[in-house]
Amino acid sequence: MNETLKRALSGAVYIILLLGCISYSQESLAILFGVFLLIGVYEFCKIAALNLFVSLPIAAISYYFLWNKSQNFTIKTIIVSLSIIISIKLLLYLFNTQKTNFKIATRYLLLIGYIIIPFVITNYVAIGKNGYNPKILISILILIWANDTFAYLVGKNFGKNKLFPSVSPKKTIEGFVGGMFFTIISSVLLSKFYIESNILYIWIIIAIIVSIFSTLGDLIQSKFKRVAGIKDSGKIMPGHGGILDRLDSIIFVIPFINLFYLILYYVS
C-alpha cells in the first residue's frame, strides 16, 4: 500500500475513534484513554528502559481509581501538582543540552507524572459546570491540531530562524508564532460558534497554553527519542508511529489546562 494512503487511512481511523469515543459518553472516553495509557506505558518503558511488568500494574491501578475523581478537588490538586512538577523537570531536561539520562527512580516518577497522570486527567478536562461536556475536550484537541498544522505551514513557507535545532531541526520561530496566532483565531471561533461560551478570555488563555505547551511537549518527546536512538515510539499506527508520537502534545498540555482550571476554581 502507498505510504501516503496508509498514513491517511490510519490517521482517519485514529481521529474517528478519538472523536467518536469522546462524543459518545464519559465512559467510552475513559475506556479509550485507558487503552491508550497501557499502550503509551509500553512504549515509554522501551524508551526509558523500565520494567514493563512493574509499570503496567501501576498504570492500570492508578487509572482505575482516579479517572472519575474530577470533582474531588483535593485529589485533583495533588495529582495535577505532581504532574506540573514533573513537567517542569522535563522542561529543565529539554533545555539542558548536557543531560541525557535519568536515574531509575526519576524514570519511574516520569512514568507517573508524564505518562500516567496526564492520561488520567484528560478525563477531567471534559467535565464542565453541568457535567460531562465532550465539546470542551474536542475543542482542545482541535486547537492542538490547528497549532501543529499552522506552525508547519507557516514554518515551511516563511520560517528562517530555527526554534530548537538540536532537538527538532525543522521547527522555526516563525512557525511557532504563526501556530499560536491561528490557534487563538481558532479558539475564538470555537468559543463563539461551537462551545457557545460567553467568557472569551478563558478560551484565548487556553489557546495560548495549548500553543506553548503542545510545542514543548513535542520537543520533549523528540529529545527522548533522539537520546534513545529511535525514530518513532511505536508502530501501532502505520505511517504515524506510536501512541506517544500522536499524543505527545496532548499529554504535556493537559496538566497545564487542568492547572488553569484549578486556578479559576480557587480564585472564584
Side-chain angles (χ1 to χ4, degrees), residues 16 22 39 46 58 72 88 99 104 109 131 133 170 172 177 195 221 250-251:
I16 291 170
I22 294 171
I39 299 170
K46 290 196 302 179
I58 292 173
N72 188 324
I88 292 171
K99 187 173 181 61
I104 186 67
L109 281 175
N133 184 354
K170 294 182 180 180
T172 63
V177 173
I195 304 170
Q221 182 67 10
I250 296 172
I251 62 175

Side-chain angles (χ1 to χ4, degrees), residues 52-142:
L52 184 64
F53 298 103
V54 172
S55 303
L56 278 177
I58 292 173
I61 292 169
S62 300
Y63 192 85
Y64 178 79
F65 284 105
L66 293 174
W67 74 271
N68 61 349
K69 294 293 188 293
S70 62
Q71 299 306 310
N72 188 324
F73 282 90
T74 301
I75 291 177
K76 185 176 181 179
T77 301
I78 291 170
I79 63 175
V80 169
S81 299
L82 175 59
S83 189
I84 293 295
I85 291 170
I86 296 299
S87 296
I88 292 171
K89 186 171 185 64
L90 284 171
L91 289 174
L92 295 174
Y93 165 73
L94 175 64
F95 289 99
N96 185 343
T97 56
Q98 304 302 315
K99 187 173 181 61
T100 57
N101 294 307
F102 293 103
K103 295 179 180 178
I104 186 67
T106 304
R107 279 180 268 156
Y108 276 106
L109 281 175
L110 293 178
L111 172 73
I112 294 169
Y114 173 59
I115 303 295
I116 297 174
I117 293 177
F119 278 94
V120 169
I121 61 180
T122 297
N123 293 279
Y124 299 176
V125 169
I127 305 300
K129 289 184 177 180
N130 299 315
Y132 184 67
N133 184 354
K135 289 184 177 182
I136 299 173
L137 183 54
I138 289 173
S139 295
I140 290 172
L141 291 174
I142 291 172

Side-chain angles (χ1 to χ4, degrees), residues 198-218:
N198 295 320
I199 313 176
L200 182 60
Y201 81 91
I202 287 179
W203 280 94
I204 291 176
I205 293 173
I206 287 175
I208 294 170
I209 292 171
V210 163
S211 185
I212 293 171
F213 291 102
S214 68
T215 302
L216 290 170
D218 184 58

Side-chain angles (χ1 to χ4, degrees), residues 3-21 32 36 145 237-240 246:
E3 187 65 26
T4 302
L5 179 59
K6 185 190 298 183
R7 182 179 174 87
L9 288 174
S10 64
V13 170
Y14 164 72
I15 291 173
I16 291 170
L17 181 64
L18 188 62
L19 297 183
C21 286
L32 178 67
F36 281 171
W145 295 334
M237 294 179 61
H240 291 270
R246 293 302 91 209

Side-chain angles (χ1 to χ4, degrees), residues 150-151 154-155 158-163 172-179:
F150 285 105
V154 173
F158 304 102
K160 295 181 179 179
N161 300 288
K162 301 298 182 182
L163 180 65
T172 63
I173 294 173
E174 293 83 0
F176 172 72
V177 173

